Amino acid sequence: MKSTLSLYNTLSRRKERFEPLEPPFVGLYVCGPTVYGDPHLGHARPAVTFDLLFRYLKATGYKVRYVRNITDVGHLEHDADEGEDKIAKKARLEQLEPMEVAQYYTDRYHDAMRALNVLPPSIEPRASGHIIEQIEMTKAILEKGFAYVSNGSVYFDVEAYDRKYRYGKLSGRVLDEMQANTRTLDGQGDKRGPFDFALWKKASKEHIMRWPSPWSDGFPGWHMECSAMSTRYLGETFDIHGGGMDLMFPHHECEIAQSTAACGHDSARYWMHNNMITINGQKMGKSLGNFITLEELTTGRHKLLEQAYSPMTIRFFILQAHYRGTLDFSNEALQAAEKGYERLMKAVATLPKLKPSAVSTVDVSDVERRCVAAMDDDLNTPVVISVLFDCVRTINQIYDGHRTISEADLKELARVVRLFVFDILGLRDDLAGDNSQMLASVVDMVLDIRQQAKAAKDWATSDRIRDGLASVGIRVKDRKDGYDWETE
């Protein structure tokens, strides 16, 4: 499969042809979860987006090292430099060790990712397991003159950095304008400037999570973990850094500043950001209290939900929108996604039932090219899904006898459809579970008896079987060469 992938680079604000640093190898780093609560729909979008990228890069022949971190220390409330660690706060409230909390919610996150058919990353480092690397990078930034020690904490000097480099190049913010619009308060703490951020924080007496360092017993700042761990596993320069758009500022902006200060250059060549999932136009998130957990979605236990939705319906719902577009939650949108997903799976299940003919009245030669062109255009999954639904119509027309397909074309159609549905979009046929198979066997057995009744012109028995199945939601369609059926 030949690919000429272009990706939207947030740093340059345009689509760029993707050219890895050392082909065929690709280094991909994505910001993972802060593990202090159950994963919600907002977590699902970056996971599915970068799983899609991971799958497509591999399908087109690249050897990908995908690093996705676990934040289990250093992320303070409200993404600030003051306050309580989010995991430590949860531990205090539940009277647990912080690492008990981190482990529990990491396991919950992994369970949710498996349900969504998100592939595990190549490496999943934890912030708490890379304290040494974070201390060493902090030392390097201090030596270069872009940080200072204050009362046992180490802060990044944004103004000093901005004089040599440019702070704000990712988000488009200008430091002078930010400072002009910020009121300076007396006694604002240990920081020299309002936009300076912590590389290392001195722990207060009551702070549970702490490690020794040259400056104090404390813990690393939130931004430092990603700079240190991406460098540790992908090198000082790597190909792609991804994450949600809400991380662009301050998290990713601060990452760029840290890496540039320590190494003399930015770490990532392409910065990718997925847009948010919203509810009534407002970002979904724990801090806003408007989130729906993935468990609530799959059980239907939430006041905003009219029903439960399967993990594959959720994945299909996410893929129906381009990753850079907003995706607004509604029951109507999820119900439409459920119907679309089921229609797609039924068509895939119909492929083995198609009987090849000597001549094709369908053209399948263009299907793969159209899907590849859409994926190459910044992972345009809505167009891919549109092409696949063209294939669904074709499959149904062949099955109904309105069109014909040769054996060679049928093999090609089946290969391309399965490649994009399962390998690249990462969908899974959850409709073909054990219960579904059992139901299918029973219904087919009953309908075979009905066929025998029809052959014997026992119309009363034939109608009774048809009407009985209809009463339990199974609709029978008679065909020239037999029958078909579907659940309502």
Side-chain angles (χ1 to χ4, degrees), residues 77 195 297 362 404:
E77 294 178 281
F195 298 103
L297 275 162
V362 298
T404 60

Side-chain angles (χ1 to χ4, degrees), residues 289-292 296 300-306 329 331:
N290 66 348
F291 63 93
I292 302 173
E296 288 170 335
R301 291 196 296 265
H302 191 283
K303 62 183 179 181
L304 293 176
L305 296 172
E306 293 177 4
F329 163 85
N331 280 283

Side-chain angles (χ1 to χ4, degrees), residues 175-367:
L175 184 60
D176 288 345
E177 293 177 2
M178 290 165 63
Q179 289 174 331
N181 293 319
T182 301
R183 187 161 58 96
T184 303
L185 300 175
D186 292 333
Q188 62 179 349
D190 299 327
K191 296 193 289 186
R192 293 176 185 169
F195 298 103
D196 294 353
F197 54 90
L199 304 178
W200 184 267
K201 280 289 290 181
K202 180 181 179 180
S204 60
K205 275 193 283 188
E206 61 274 8
H207 200 96
I208 311 170
M209 304 172 81
R210 59 174 69 214
W211 290 263
S213 81
W215 315 287
S216 64
D217 278 5
F219 54 93
W222 171 36
H223 314 303
M224 178 52 69
E225 63 172 294
C226 290
S227 291
M229 292 191 292
S230 62
T231 301
R232 166 69 178 82
Y233 294 108
L234 298 174
E236 287 188 4
T237 305
F238 57 91
D239 295 302
I240 303 170
H241 193 311
M245 192 174 287
D246 57 330
L247 297 178
M248 189 189 306
F249 188 88
H251 186 51
H252 290 162
E253 196 72 74
C254 294
E255 273 192 65
I256 288 176
Q258 289 169 162
S259 298
T260 304
C263 306
H265 54 80
D266 186 7
S267 53
R269 299 167 64 241
Y270 301 83
W271 284 83
M272 290 179 65
H273 293 89
N274 65 274
N275 213 323
M276 299 296 97
I277 292 181
T278 57
I279 296 181
N280 299 322
Q282 187 180 36
K283 175 201 160 188
M284 179 183 292
K286 286 195 184 83
S287 59
L288 298 171
N290 66 348
F291 63 93
I292 302 173
T293 70
L294 293 173
E295 183 180 55
E296 288 170 335
L297 275 162
T298 55
T299 60
R301 291 196 296 265
H302 191 283
K303 62 183 179 181
L304 293 176
L305 296 172
E306 293 177 4
Q307 65 179 76
Y309 299 98
S310 73
M312 286 302 98
T313 295
I314 297 165
R315 185 176 180 109
F316 190 76
F317 167 67
I318 292 168
L319 291 170
Q320 278 185 313
H322 189 270
Y323 78 91
R324 286 194 292 112
T326 55
L327 181 58
D328 199 51
F329 163 85
S330 71
N331 280 283
E332 292 77 16
L334 278 164
Q335 287 162 5
E338 183 176 63
K339 290 177 182 176
Y341 163 71
E342 289 177 355
R343 186 171 167 229
L344 187 58
M345 289 304 108
K346 286 177 181 176
V348 173
T350 301
L351 278 166
K353 301 176 186 177
L354 300 183
K355 296 176 181 178
S357 302
V359 178
S360 279
T361 59
V362 298
D363 182 10
V364 301
S365 61
D366 211 28
V367 174

Side-chain angles (χ1 to χ4, degrees), residues 54-165:
F54 185 32
R55 287 171 177 273
Y56 189 61
L57 289 170
K58 292 200 300 180
T60 52
Y62 290 113
K63 299 182 186 299
V64 187
R65 177 178 287 175
Y66 176 17
V67 182
R68 186 187 66 208
N69 72 301
I70 295 288
T71 298
D72 59 356
V73 67
H75 193 169
L76 304 187
E77 294 178 281
H78 313 300
D79 302 342
D81 280 325
E82 304 297 333
E84 196 169 3
D85 183 286
K86 292 182 176 183
I87 293 169
K89 180 180 179 180
K90 187 80 169 180
R92 178 175 55 78
L93 293 173
E94 297 189 8
Q95 296 184 312
L96 296 169
E97 280 288 330
M99 285 307 165
E100 281 185 274
V101 171
Q103 187 62 54
Y104 176 79
Y105 288 112
T106 298
D107 292 344
R108 299 275 286 178
Y109 179 77
H110 288 158
D111 289 344
M113 294 305 103
R114 277 190 292 272
L116 289 169
N117 207 26
V118 169
L119 298 174
S122 315
I123 303 172
E124 191 175 51
R126 296 186 181 214
S128 62
H130 296 76
I131 301 296
I132 292 171
E133 289 91 339
Q134 295 177 75
I135 289 173
E136 290 304 309
M137 182 168 271
T138 300
K139 285 181 183 177
I141 295 170
L142 276 166
E143 289 168 4
K144 299 286 180 65
F146 295 113
Y148 55 90
V149 181
S150 178
N151 194 27
S153 294
V154 183
Y155 291 97
F156 191 90
D157 191 333
V158 171
E159 195 168 336
Y161 173 84
D162 193 60
R163 283 196 294 268
K164 182 170 183 180
Y165 301 103

Side-chain angles (χ1 to χ4, degrees), residues 397-422:
Q397 287 168 349
I398 295 167
Y399 186 68
D400 290 335
H402 300 308
R403 304 180 82 175
T404 60
I405 190 167
S406 69
E407 186 173 359
D409 283 351
L410 179 55
K411 285 182 180 177
E412 175 65 5
L413 179 63
R415 181 190 70 81
V416 174
V417 168
R418 290 191 177 110
L419 170 67
F420 280 90
V421 169
F422 298 127

